[in-house]
Amino acid sequence: SAMAGNANTSNLLMVSGERLTGESVRHQNVVAAASIANIVKTSLGPVGLDKMLVDDVGDVTITNDGATILKLLEVEHPAAKILVELAQLQDEEVGDGTTSVVLVAAELLKNAEELMSLKIHPTTIISGYRLACREAVKFINERLVISVDDLARDNIVNAAKTSMSSKIIGCDAELFAAMAVDAAMAVRVADGKGGHRYPIKAVNVLKAHGGSTRDSVLINGYALNCTVGSVQMPKRITNAKIACLDFSLQKSKMKLGVQLVIETPEQLELMRARESDLTKERVQKIMASGANVILTTGSIDDLCMKYFVEAGAMAVRRCKKIDLKRIAKATGGQFVVSMTNLEGEESFDASLLGQAECVAQERISDDELIVIRGPKARSAASIVLRGANDFYCDEMERSVHDALCVVKRVLEGRQLVPGGGAVEVALNIYLENYATSLASREQMAIAEFARALLCVPKQLAVNAAQDSTELLAQLRARHNASQVKKDCAAYKWFGLDLQEGKVRDNKEAGVLEPAVSKIKSLKFATEAAITILRIDDQIKLTPEAPPSHGGH
Amino acid sequence: MSGGTPVIVLNQNTKREQGRKVQLTNIQSAKTVADVIRTCLGPQAMLKMLMDPMGGIVMTNDGNAILREITVQHPAAKSMIEIARTQDEEVGDGTTSVIILAGEILAVSTAFLEQSIHPTIIITAYRQALEDMLEMASSRYSVDVDTNDTDKMHELIRTCLGTRVHTQWNQVACRIALDAVRTVHKERGSDGQAQEIDIKRYARIEKIPGGSIEDSCVLDGIMINKDVVHPQMRRRIANPRIVLLDCDLEYKKGESQTNVEIRQEEDFTRLLQLEEEYIKTVCQAVLAVKPDLVITEKGVSDLAQHYLVKAGVSVLRRLRRTDQWRVARAIGATIVNRPDELKEEDIGTGCGLFEVRKIGDEYYSYLVQCRNPKACTIVLRGPSKDILNEMDRSLNDALNVARNIVLKPKLCPGGGAFEMAIAHAVSEKGKALTTVHQGPYRALAAALEVIPRTLIQNCGANVIRTLTALRAKHAGTEPEDWMWGVDGETGKLRHMKADGIWEPLSVKNQVLKTATETAILLLRIDDIVSGTKKGGVEGAAAAAKAAANEAAQPAAGGDE
């Protein structure tokens, strides 16, 4: 339609919109990536600070987590969006290190642009980056990992502490790291191949403002954010037999479409009476099986409350389905969807009940929780976080989540690497030497990759207001020695000590990160950078007019 | 190659502030909030009159109540207002102190930020100081109290109420608060049931305008703002047998949808008859247990009223559920849903007297002289609605104080003595620190002096002179020197133990914790981005939930 008009490229394409090609689009992408990295970079490391994000309606989020920051920002540029997704990906896959992955990706792009200005073709850079990434991963696996054996709880706690050091709970990392490790151990399940899995999502994290950070507790049991259905019920039951139901205990009514034709008005009355009796019978069947704690996802009619009250049982309505499934698993019971058995009769068998030492309603601040302690089949864990206000608790939750992820990675991967920039610097030295040994056109790209990795330790030092040039020089010297001199091998554990502004043996100091997370973040960053590098043409369509005139 | 169009990365509505400027504006706005309620601390506190957009008036000097009404723009100020709520929900007192202290802690931090000390260092020092303060508070600067000593308890509650409106009211409030708390107090059970004082649920405050303040009291039972449903019903019954229902005493259709097609005229009459018969059977079921009084949450039809009047039973209808709970607990009844299942045990016999009284234009039903009530109504009388509301608020504080003391019987001296003592001790301890943390560590101690300082300011005494004198007292060597504080009315120094001015330690501890942690939260911020996505957090929460759901699927495969 818009054929008339100036004959620029977009019109030749028969689309209305803007088109950018070649150098200008690459440049734009790099600038966009860099500005995303700029946003999150001050939150990196143990002395990084937090950001306060205020949305349109004035709700406040205070956070240090790169993924959360980026998720809340309204990012418009397409290349920048790729980085936002990168952080999201890292968050889902690894759960930690979201800030550094963005930093590395942006730095890789920046260095690539310099190479391109030297007329090196993007495909060469890409293959160089790929090669470098592969070599780096190999190097980490061969030379930098520390294996964790089963008993070294210290190492696991240290890894969790490292992840928390940059967060608001950094001062109390000791407490929370131990909590995270205990929680992860509590939800451990065998994977059937001799190992274990740690589904940390089964750790129930609850928040209640009030108290102080250090009043946060790990409950060896499952905490539900519900209260008993009627105040006349007992608040505490020992030797609990728990029924987890997924149906409402309400007056039954006929399903839609079901019709009953009756002849006399008396029958109508009978129907009415039957409605309430049906539910009563159900309740009686459940009680007859010996249940004394009834948890349901649906509602419970007042009608039924009395039966429970009289039997001295606890009934809780409107529990979350997911919670009940987990409770059923933990207590060795079953999540009952319907009482109808194969014969079409309604029945409730005692074997469906889960067991726990004690179920109690406990008060925290102004809220009340149902806590199931000592479940029979397997242990469970809930963490109740306390803090000055809701913003504080939210940020604590994010930090604890990161720590739990780290613990899971360590326990499942059983491999650690030193933190505080040690890996990045070691890789930098290694890759530079590797590049020099390579007689192909990828050499420069690999060298640039090596250089890009330094952005992490550099930013760590900058955030701590330390002399990054000096510190990096020291660190590189150490790592170079470790790689070329036989007797200096122990130098490879050296990383930054940001409080003192020195380099130190981070393995000794307990600054550790899971190897999986380092490797993954390296791979993700490389892939994201490559994705953006491959772009040489960007077409931005002008938004279609609102379809007031109908389609075609 | 640049020089083209600028690259737009973020939405252009996004505003961003960074660095030192953010830290300073955060501190500034926190201080502003603190300044608003600074004059509400201590016995010489002034009331604030707040007008809401609807033209309503709130008159109060309760920190939380004031802040709840204020709308603030700055996110840091919001964070401050939140902490008043936290404090209120956790211990129900000390809302003003927590805001003032948090503001002061942030204010003293400015100096360190300007000296370019990194916030993380300040924070570490604060955290350490907080731990030390809490430890000192419970080990050295508090005393145990005997909760069974009624006079002493009244005295205690009175100090905490020192700032409230009427002095005559104070006496009454103390008595009421303690009585109410003792009524609803459930001791630690033998089965390990935790001890419980649930004021919110079991002690209800009813306000009746008129009468004098001294007429306010705690009932040994429940009062409900209802009259019996039928004028011929008895309005005074001694030792009533009471049935509690939460069902209708009227005909209610079934749950399933019904269509009625009638072919014969008699059938229609029969239908109507059936409804009447139903009511009759229900009433007969109720009457079978020989009650004197029936209380239901739902409605009672005219026909049912007729049957019940005839049998000489009084009826109260449409009670709030929470009222019904209280009644059940006070008289020892079980709430019944199906009248045909009424049993002798369900009937409440704990009540000594049922009586409907007319006060002003309204009827009130009293269920009093209960044996061992465990739930109660507090009746407040006063000249006007605004005064009643203010009485209500201050009584709430008193109730919380009483609860806190009964739950955790540890006290610390009031009048700023506790803060001065802690400040002095922490400051002394800080001298031993050799690292850069020393400055902020001791500054936190100094910030605590804001409480006695504000007390002095509010009563118009000479701040510098009094505070210096107070410091000198605390530097003394006598074992009870740390109990010197400020008389909030005269501005003179007083020995708190000698004068019996105490406050619950749990409140003070919570003030310290919340104020320090808020300061930490705000100091850590170096970047404010506003105009971010709307509902982004909810979206994230939903996503997390979805993910959690997936993970919980049984026998889920690998997790990557």
Side-chain angles (χ1 to χ4, degrees):
Chain A
S1 61
M3 275 301 273
N6 44 6
N8 62 20
T9 43
S10 64
N11 280 347
L12 293 175
L13 270 170
M14 299 282 288
V15 286
S16 55
E18 284 173 49
R19 182 169 174 200
L20 282 173
T21 46
E23 216 159 87
S24 60
V25 64
R26 286 204 190 100
H27 176 67
Q28 270 212 6
N29 287 346
V30 170
V31 171
S35 68
I36 288 291
N38 263 334
I39 292 171
V40 290
K41 72 181 181 192
T42 56
S43 62
L44 185 76
V47 275
L49 292 173
D50 294 354
K51 293 193 192 304
M52 186 181 237
L53 304 157
V54 189
D55 71 10
D56 311 0
V57 284
D59 283 347
V60 180
T61 309
I62 297 174
T63 187
N64 177 279
D65 180 46
T68 312
I69 298 170
L70 293 179
K71 187 157 30 186
L72 290 174
L73 290 174
E74 207 163 338
V75 174
E76 287 197 335
H77 195 278
K81 274 188 183 156
I82 292 179
L83 285 199
V84 174
E85 277 159 24
L86 170 67
Q88 251 47 282
L89 180 71
Q90 173 82 8
D91 195 35
E92 282 160 28
E93 289 276 313
V94 185
D96 187 35
T98 47
T99 311
S100 52
V101 75
V102 171
L103 281 188
V104 172
E107 194 72 12
L108 284 175
L109 282 172
K110 204 175 101 195
N111 291 359
E113 195 193 20
E114 281 170 26
L115 289 177
M116 284 186 280
S117 69
L118 299 173
K119 301 289 174 217
I120 295 178
H121 195 271
T123 50
T124 314
I125 303 172
I126 288 170
S127 65
Y129 277 8
R130 282 239 164 85
L131 193 58
C133 179
R134 204 164 55 226
E135 279 301 315
V137 170
K138 211 164 87 191
F139 184 74
I140 294 179
N141 279 329
E142 280 170 6
R143 305 276 297 274
L144 286 175
V145 293
I146 307 161
S147 293
V148 196
D149 58 59
D150 269 2
L151 300 168
R153 184 188 154 94
D154 277 0
N155 283 337
I156 309 170
V157 171
N158 279 337
K161 266 163 72 180
T162 309
S163 130
M164 273 186 276
S165 62
S166 63
K167 305 287 169 30
I168 197 156
I169 51 179
C171 302
D172 299 316
E174 200 84 38
L175 171 78
F176 286 98
M179 206 182 265
V181 175
D182 289 341
M185 294 307 263
V187 297
R188 176 166 85 160
V189 286
D191 62 358
K193 285 173 269 173
H196 291 95
R197 286 201 307 124
Y198 299 84
I200 45 111
K201 275 169 188 154
V203 178
N204 196 8
V205 181
L206 298 163
K207 297 170 281 184
H209 61 203
S212 82
T213 319
R214 289 193 193 183
D215 297 333
S216 304
V217 282
L218 173 72
I219 298 176
N220 284 322
Y222 207 88
L224 272 173
N225 204 354
C226 303
T227 52
V228 292
S230 154
V231 286
Q232 296 188 310
M233 287 176 183
K235 297 270 169 62
R236 184 187 168 87
I237 287 179
T238 42
N239 291 328
K241 299 213 164 36
I242 305 167
C244 300
L245 312 177
D246 190 23
F247 49 85
S248 297
L249 290 171
Q250 270 184 316
K251 261 193 188 175
S252 51
K253 63 175 157 195
M254 271 182 290
K255 294 264 179 334
L256 272 178
V258 178
Q259 272 194 335
L260 273 182
V261 181
I262 50 173
E263 292 300 321
T264 62
E266 280 80 4
Q267 283 171 316
L268 187 66
E269 199 54 31
L270 283 176
M271 268 178 65
R272 234 171 55 95
R274 191 72 196 126
E275 277 181 359
S276 20
D277 283 342
L278 265 176
T279 318
K280 181 182 172 184
E281 280 163 20
R282 277 192 184 172
V283 172
Q284 280 167 344
K285 276 178 189 146
I286 295 171
M287 301 306 291
S289 69
N292 52 15
V293 176
I294 289 89
L295 309 174
T296 171
T297 53
S299 62
I300 302 178
D301 220 320
D302 292 337
L303 177 83
C304 308
M305 285 297 181
K306 182 174 166 266
Y307 306 127
F308 295 125
V309 171
E310 279 176 351
M314 207 177 202
V316 183
R317 58 186 159 192
R318 307 210 187 286
C319 305
K320 278 192 213 128
K321 201 172 200 164
I322 177 81
D323 285 338
L324 285 198
K325 279 185 181 162
R326 287 189 195 136
I327 290 171
K329 249 190 222 165
T331 56
Q334 274 188 35
F335 185 57
V336 184
V337 182
S338 156
M339 280 175 65
T340 318
N341 61 16
L342 287 174
E343 282 83 47
E345 300 283 315
E346 295 215 318
S347 66
F348 197 86
D349 195 69
S351 65
L352 299 174
L353 296 177
Q355 291 184 3
E357 274 165 31
C358 160
V359 177
Q361 176 166 323
E362 292 179 10
R363 190 187 164 98
I364 285 180
S365 179
D366 242 14
D367 265 341
E368 276 165 337
L369 303 174
I370 303 271
V371 182
I372 297 162
R373 287 178 199 274
K376 198 182 123 208
R378 72 162 88 129
S379 49
S382 300
I383 296 176
V384 179
L385 297 175
R386 311 300 309 275
N389 55 28
D390 290 347
F391 313 140
Y392 202 105
C393 292
D394 289 344
E395 174 62 1
M396 280 171 75
E397 186 190 13
R398 284 187 283 271
S399 315
V400 168
H401 171 257
D402 282 8
L404 281 170
C405 288
V406 166
V407 171
K408 173 194 163 89
R409 295 292 155 203
V410 177
L411 286 169
E412 289 181 359
R414 304 208 163 273
Q415 283 182 329
L416 291 167
V417 289
V423 172
E424 284 81 2
V425 175
L427 287 178
N428 167 268
I429 301 287
Y430 172 72
L431 289 175
E432 271 185 4
N433 291 337
Y434 174 73
T436 324
S437 70
L438 212 64
S440 69
R441 50 174 67 223
E442 277 90 11
Q443 190 193 52
M444 282 181 87
I446 295 174
E448 288 303 322
F449 188 98
R451 199 161 63 87
L453 289 176
L454 287 183
C455 70
V456 173
K458 207 183 284 175
Q459 191 61 44
L460 284 172
V462 168
N463 284 353
Q466 306 286 3
D467 185 347
S468 65
T469 322
E470 160 96 27
L471 279 177
L472 268 188
Q474 285 186 22
L475 204 51
R476 292 189 64 202
R478 289 264 158 65
H479 279 275
N480 189 42
S482 85
Q483 287 174 26
V484 294
K485 290 188 206 155
K486 277 265 154 39
D487 54 334
C488 294
Y491 277 161
K492 69 179 175 185
W493 310 124
F494 267 65
L496 298 171
D497 173 1
L498 296 159
Q499 301 296 347
E500 301 294 326
K502 288 189 308 210
V503 295
R504 66 168 171 197
D505 186 339
N506 269 347
K507 187 187 175 194
E508 203 108 294
V511 179
L512 300 166
E513 290 173 72
V516 197
S517 109
K518 261 285 158 329
I519 291 171
K520 282 209 167 170
S521 76
L522 209 53
K523 283 184 183 165
F524 289 158
T526 315
E527 284 306 319
I530 289 173
T531 313
I532 296 175
L533 276 181
R534 293 182 66 90
I535 300 167
D536 78 335
D537 198 337
Q538 175 193 314
I539 302 163
K540 192 177 174 194
L541 298 177
T542 42
E544 273 181 48
S548 54
H549 45 74
H552 291 283
Chain B
M1 73 190 224
S2 64
T5 47
V7 186
I8 299 161
V9 178
L10 293 178
N11 185 316
Q12 280 172 304
N13 297 328
T14 313
K15 277 202 273 316
R16 211 174 149 205
E17 281 179 18
Q18 275 175 291
R20 177 66 44 80
K21 195 176 155 215
V22 167
Q23 286 164 342
L24 295 182
T25 48
N26 276 349
I27 291 173
Q28 193 52 48
S29 58
K31 265 163 71 182
T32 315
V33 173
D35 282 341
V36 171
I37 58 168
R38 190 179 288 275
T39 57
C40 298
L41 189 77
Q44 297 285 51
M46 303 303 273
L47 293 186
K48 295 207 183 288
M49 184 185 262
L50 303 160
M51 287 174 74
D52 62 26
M54 309 295 290
I57 296 174
V58 181
M59 252 190 322
T60 184
N61 62 4
D62 177 52
N64 187 36
I66 297 168
L67 294 176
R68 237 184 354 231
E69 301 292 329
I70 301 178
T71 325
V72 290
Q73 277 296 321
H74 198 278
K78 274 193 188 130
S79 179
M80 289 287 283
I81 286 178
E82 283 281 309
I83 63 170
R85 194 160 68 100
T86 307
Q87 178 77 19
D88 194 46
E89 286 182 10
E90 185 74 14
V91 288
D93 191 20
T95 46
T96 313
S97 319
V98 75
I99 297 275
I100 294 181
L101 187 57
E104 184 68 17
I105 295 178
L106 283 166
V108 295
S109 313
T110 324
F112 301 112
L113 290 177
E114 273 162 4
Q115 289 166 28
S116 295
I117 293 183
H118 198 281
T120 50
I121 290 175
I122 306 177
I123 288 164
T124 321
Y126 282 180
R127 193 43 60 218
Q128 187 53 44
L130 174 64
E131 281 313 299
D132 291 346
M133 287 194 297
L134 292 177
E135 198 275 317
M136 282 176 197
S138 58
S139 65
R140 263 192 285 167
Y141 298 113
S142 56
V143 292
D144 293 322
V145 65
D146 175 17
T147 49
N148 293 320
D149 184 345
T150 307
D151 285 341
K152 183 94 189 259
M153 291 291 282
H154 281 168
E155 195 64 34
L156 287 174
I157 302 167
R158 188 165 321 141
T159 356
C160 307
L161 286 184
T163 68
R164 308 305 178 200
V165 263
H166 301 276
T167 31
Q168 53 184 61
W169 161 237
N170 263 353
Q171 311 273 345
V172 186
C174 301
R175 209 187 59 227
I176 290 181
L178 189 60
D179 286 354
V181 165
R182 283 190 177 160
T183 307
V184 300
H185 185 197
K186 245 190 180 170
E187 289 291 337
R188 185 177 291 277
S190 49
D191 58 343
Q193 173 80 51
Q195 73 170 348
E196 161 197 282
I197 301 180
D198 195 337
I199 301 170
K200 210 167 70 182
R201 211 171 260 156
Y202 297 120
R204 182 173 173 81
I205 302 176
E206 293 281 354
K207 292 167 277 194
I208 308 176
S212 78
I213 291 173
E214 283 83 1
D215 295 339
S216 310
C217 62
V218 178
L219 298 177
D220 46 357
I222 308 291
M223 190 268 302
I224 305 148
N225 187 1
K226 296 272 178 210
D227 189 10
V228 290
V229 292
H230 194 283
Q232 283 171 7
M233 285 176 177
R234 284 185 289 167
R235 287 214 163 81
R236 186 187 161 88
I237 307 170
N239 292 316
R241 287 163 60 81
I242 302 173
V243 166
L244 300 185
L245 297 174
D246 64 353
C247 62
D248 284 298
L249 286 180
E250 53 197 16
Y251 187 80
K252 219 176 147 245
K253 277 186 290 187
E255 290 285 322
S256 306
Q257 201 182 352
T258 40
N259 289 318
V260 183
E261 271 177 38
I262 300 167
R263 283 183 225 118
Q264 293 150 302
E265 198 183 334
E266 299 82 59
D267 277 356
F268 184 64
T269 334
R270 183 73 194 121
L271 269 178
L272 294 180
Q273 256 175 9
L274 273 176
E275 293 190 6
E276 284 173 16
E277 275 169 24
Y278 170 76
I279 290 174
K280 196 170 175 188
T281 30
V282 167
C283 287
Q284 274 165 351
V286 172
L287 292 174
V289 294
K290 301 189 183 59
D292 297 305
L293 176 64
V294 173
I295 303 178
T296 175
E297 276 175 37
K298 307 256 169 74
V300 178
S301 71
D302 288 349
L303 188 66
Q305 284 178 27
H306 165 77
Y307 287 123
L308 294 170
V309 168
K310 246 180 30 188
V313 178
S314 301
V315 180
L316 295 174
R317 68 174 170 192
R318 300 198 197 287
L319 251 73
R320 261 187 306 239
R321 166 150 303 188
T322 48
D323 282 336
Q324 187 86 324
W325 284 344
R326 267 189 292 279
V327 173
R329 187 153 141 140
I331 64 171
T334 314
I335 303 169
V336 178
N337 185 274
R338 294 176 67 165
D340 50 324
E341 286 170 357
L342 266 169
K343 285 196 291 282
E344 183 59 32
E345 307 91 84
D346 297 336
I347 296 167
T349 52
C351 174
L353 179 69
F354 164 70
E355 191 180 24
V356 179
R357 296 181 199 163
K358 189 175 181 221
I359 302 172
D361 266 352
E362 294 207 49
Y363 291 93
Y364 296 90
S365 296
Y366 282 75
L367 291 159
V368 286
Q369 296 172 16
C370 293
R371 296 170 272 278
N372 195 17
K374 292 285 164 216
C376 60
T377 303
I378 300 164
V379 180
L380 292 188
R381 306 299 310 274
S384 83
K385 229 174 156 190
D386 287 331
I387 292 180
L388 276 174
N389 284 339
E390 177 56 20
M391 279 164 69
D392 183 358
R393 274 190 291 272
S394 54
L395 181 60
N396 262 318
D397 285 2
L399 283 168
N400 284 320
V401 170
R403 184 191 70 182
N404 290 334
I405 300 177
V406 173
L407 285 180
K408 191 177 182 194
K410 262 189 176 262
L411 295 176
C412 52
F418 173 78
E419 284 82 1
M420 276 312 273
I422 296 277
H424 180 71
V426 170
S427 177
E428 285 302 311
K429 192 168 178 193
K431 282 183 187 159
L433 283 179
T434 51
T435 51
V436 65
H437 296 95
Q438 193 202 41
Y441 185 94
R442 297 187 66 201
L444 189 66
L448 278 174
E449 289 185 7
V450 73
I451 302 286
R453 189 163 68 234
T454 312
L455 281 175
I456 302 169
Q457 258 167 10
N458 285 353
C459 67
N462 184 324
V463 176
I464 297 172
R465 194 170 298 157
T466 321
L467 204 60
T468 317
L470 188 59
R471 264 193 219 126
K473 285 279 185 204
H474 278 263
T477 49
E478 294 293 313
E480 286 189 345
D481 269 344
W482 61 274
M483 292 196 189
W484 281 94
V486 181
D487 183 331
E489 290 181 37
T490 59
K492 299 223 166 57
L493 296 191
R494 276 173 89 177
H495 194 264
M496 293 297 154
K497 189 180 180 190
D499 294 337
I501 296 175
W502 300 99
E503 286 183 58
L505 180 66
S506 47
V507 174
K508 291 284 175 201
N509 270 349
Q510 188 61 43
V511 168
L512 292 178
K513 287 176 186 172
T514 312
T516 316
E517 287 192 351
T518 311
I520 289 175
L521 181 74
L522 292 179
L523 280 176
R524 278 186 61 94
I525 294 166
D526 75 336
D527 200 339
I528 298 184
V529 187
S530 44
T532 54
K533 260 181 237 172
K534 193 174 177 179
V537 187
E538 281 84 0
K545 212 168 123 192
N549 272 327
E550 266 169 38
Q553 296 300 328
D559 42 73
E560 294 190 0

